[in-house]
């Protein structure tokens, strides 16, 4: 088992490695990353929150093929897949539930008002991603509703140069499939095509991808298809228009997903459509950014796949959102103001027809004083047609006390509005909703210290979060259905430590490492004598480490993740990627779960044993960094 003492020893060892590295060789140029807020843009060096940024270079090195898999390597992020390789995934941050994390795509909120189980149906392959920003802690004043424990913003590429990337891969565990579905071995693969037409005036990013796996167990075949487009037209340096559209189709066997062992014949088909049209305008000291977006979901759950006329659940969900964000830059700081309106509708066979409206107003201020102090403060005022008025303030402050050193503290609030499933689901004998639920509310206090020098990044921090009216699905005994209740308070204390660095040597050798340790100590003040469906499966310890080495076209990446959940035994997942690149053509080999661990992330779905895959990627037209 990984202990805190072991983690501190590893951190000390890596710091020692850094101290012996020759300073002139650490010559990698770092461009300043600007965090993509909806109103005020914040350079990463001036951020006063705990924000992690996963760059496209880091994404390329990791032995992953989907966004869902990638997030499993981010400190504090808990990824729980019901199907391997990105089929159906719940994502949470720092011990929260999967309903409490807000996911965005280029700033567009991907909230699914039916259930957050479908949040990660994102039609974007890895080659289309510029970076991923992970903000930990309540973020209501920045992003509005449902950002209770944090937010994940996926930023796609908008390059001024043209390129085409083709990535294909296949793999297997070389183990026999379940005999109920015939002979053969468990295997599958995918194809991702990403193309961009870019110039000084415009860029057009287009992607298509498909993944298919024949299922390790009975009725676990999955077929995922995605298409995505993102366009930008730059009228001039002060005005631009952006639009995006995407479609995701997932068809998978759902054996063990929600109601094991009775759901052995279950199947689910989920279709998601996304659309957004926005623009950006700079007029002197003012900026103005309107946006309209829409998310449509069709979730078809068949408890008996061979008899769709019995126990079938069909959910049609639609969410339309209009936003207007603005900011003004003055001598005393930046002021931001935003208004938004969201209309949510559902038409479901076992939830019914419902709709609700949500309106919000955001106000923010950011100031930079004496070249050392950064102050951010603001509030989000929310009106929901079901719950009335709510106000969520927050403030952050950072002190840059030495070159590269930053001390930051923050206090913020947030909320999570119950989903339509929480409120109205009628799925006896398994799950029954509760229309009397109230929203979850949270306050979080945190402090962290950060050191950055070129590619070396070190962060250590502590937080305390207090959630009132906490919602969990519970039951008194196994003879009654689960139902959600505001069971009381959920308090979490957590500590984190991270270090990473990439060293470029003069003789074309590259060495890098990253190491993170998260410890969570949750306590629950709730109704006694009930069985919890989700809360006892939160993270307790998470240890992620990796090293990479490269020489000219050759590279190797080795990663290990130790995951320990409350009342569950911990497990180690060791992954390796070996790659060779020559003139834009890359061949890579991955081994996932090298230690052949037996483990589950969600439901009653065992994750794959040791898995081997081979991939080929060709990139034409885009300059790449070493």
């Amino acid at each position: 088992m990984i202990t805190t003492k072991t983690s501190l020893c590893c951190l000390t060892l890596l710091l020692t490695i850094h101290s012996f590295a020759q300073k002139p060789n650490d010559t990698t140029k770092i461009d300043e990353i600007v965090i993509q807020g909806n109103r005020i843009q914040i350079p990463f060096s001036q951020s006063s929150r705990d924000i992690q940024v996963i760059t496209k270079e880091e994404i390329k090195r990791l032995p992953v093929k989907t966004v869902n898999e990638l997030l499993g390597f981010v400190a504090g992020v808990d990824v729980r897949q019901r199907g391997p390789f990105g089929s159906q995934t719940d994502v949470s941050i720092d011990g929260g539930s999967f309903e409490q994390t807000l996911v965005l795509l280029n700033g567009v909120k991907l909230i699914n008002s039916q259930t957050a189980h479908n949040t990660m149906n994102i039609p974007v392959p890895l080659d289309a991603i510029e970076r991923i920003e992970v903000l930990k802690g309540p973020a209501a004043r920045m992003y509005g509703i449902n950002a209770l424990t944090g937010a994940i913003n996926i930023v796609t590429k908008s390059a001024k140069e043209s390129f085409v990337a083709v990535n294909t891969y296949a793999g297997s565990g070389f183990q026999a499939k379940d005999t109920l579905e015939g002979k053969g071995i468990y295997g599958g693969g995918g194809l991702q095509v990403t193309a961009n037409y870019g110039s000084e005036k415009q860029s057009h990013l287009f992607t298509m991808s498909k993944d298919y796996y024949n299922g390790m167990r009975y009725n676990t075949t999955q077929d995922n298809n995605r298409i995505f487009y993102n366009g930008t037209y730059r009228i001039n340096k002060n005005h631009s228009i952006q639009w995006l559209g995407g479609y995701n189709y997932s068809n998978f066997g759902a054996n063990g997903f929600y109601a094991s062992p009775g759901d052995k014949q279950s199947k689910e088909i989920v279709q998601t459509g996304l659309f957004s049209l926005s623009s950006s305008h700079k007029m002197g000291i003012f900026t103005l950014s309107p946006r309209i977006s829409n998310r449509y979901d069709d979730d078809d759950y068949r408890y008996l796949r061979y008899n769709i006329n019995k126990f079938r659940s069909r959910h049609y969900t639609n969410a339309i959102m209009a936003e207007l964000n603005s900011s003004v830059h003055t001598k005393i700081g930046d002021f931001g103001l935003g208004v938004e309106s969201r209309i949510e509708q559902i038409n479901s066979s076992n939830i019914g027809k419902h709709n609700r409206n949500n309106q919000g107003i955001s106000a923010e201020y950011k100031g930079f004083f004496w070249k050392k102090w950064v102050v951010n403060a603001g509030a989000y005022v929310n009106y929901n047609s079901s719950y009335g008025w709510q106000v969520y303030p927050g403030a952050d402050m950072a002190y840059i006390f030495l070159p590269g050193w930053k001390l930051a503290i923050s206090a913020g609030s947030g909320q999570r509005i119950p989903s339509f499933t929480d409120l109205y689901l009628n799925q006896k004998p398994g799950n029954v909703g509760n229309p009397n639920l109230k929203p979850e509310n949270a306050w979080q206090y945190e402090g962290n210290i950060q050191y950055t020098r070129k590619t070396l990044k070190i962060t250590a921090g502590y937080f305390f979060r207090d959630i009132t009216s906490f919602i969990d699905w519970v039951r008194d005994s196994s003879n009654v259905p689960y139902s959600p209740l505001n069971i009381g308070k959920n308090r979490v204390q957590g500590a984190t430590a991270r270090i990473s660095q990439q060293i470029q040597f003069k003789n074309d050798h590259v060495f890098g490492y990253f190491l993170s340790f998260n410890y969570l100590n949750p306590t629950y003040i709730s109704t006694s004598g009930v069985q919890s469906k989700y809360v006892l499966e939160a993270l307790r310890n998470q240890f992620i480490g990796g090293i990479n080495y490269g020489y000219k076209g050759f590279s190797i990446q080795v990663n290990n993740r130790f995951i320990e959940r409350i009342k569950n035994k911990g497990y180690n997942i060791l992954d390796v990627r070996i790659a060779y690149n020559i003139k834009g053509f890359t061949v890579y080999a991955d081994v996932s779960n090298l230690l052949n661990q037996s483990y589950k992330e969600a439901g009653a779905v065992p994750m794959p044993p040791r898995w081997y895959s081979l991939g080929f990627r060709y990139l034409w037209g885009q300059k790449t960094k070493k």
Side-chain angles (χ1 to χ4, degrees), residues 30 65 193 207 249 258 283 342 346 385 387 409 425 434 437 442 446 471 478 480 487 494 566:
I30 298 299
K65 301 170 184 70
V193 180
T207 74
Y249 174 89
Y258 311 111
M283 299 160 286
R342 181 181 178 86
I346 189 169
S385 57
Y387 302 108
I409 58 173
L425 181 65
N434 178 4
L437 287 175
E446 66 177 59
I471 297 172
S478 58
V480 298
I487 62 174
I566 298 173

Side-chain angles (χ1 to χ4, degrees), residues 543-589:
F543 181 92
I544 305 175
I547 58 172
N548 65 273
Y549 167 77
Y551 177 68
K552 295 184 177 180
F554 172 81
S555 64
I556 181 171
Q557 173 89 39
V558 180
N559 304 302
N560 187 77
R561 290 170 291 155
F562 174 80
I563 306 295
E564 182 185 35
R565 305 185 191 281
I566 298 173
K567 295 188 176 181
N568 285 320
K569 185 179 179 181
Y571 54 85
N572 281 288
I573 304 299
L574 182 64
D575 304 319
V576 179
R577 166 167 289 187
I578 300 175
Y580 185 75
N581 176 274
I582 181 170
K583 296 182 179 179
F585 182 84
T586 303
V587 57
Y588 59 90

Side-chain angles (χ1 to χ4, degrees), residues 589-611:
D590 295 343
V591 183
S592 303
N593 192 8
L594 184 62
L595 301 178
N596 207 30
Q597 295 275 288
S598 297
Y599 69 105
K600 298 176 183 177
E601 292 183 344
V605 184
M607 297 299 290
R610 187 182 298 115
W611 183 268

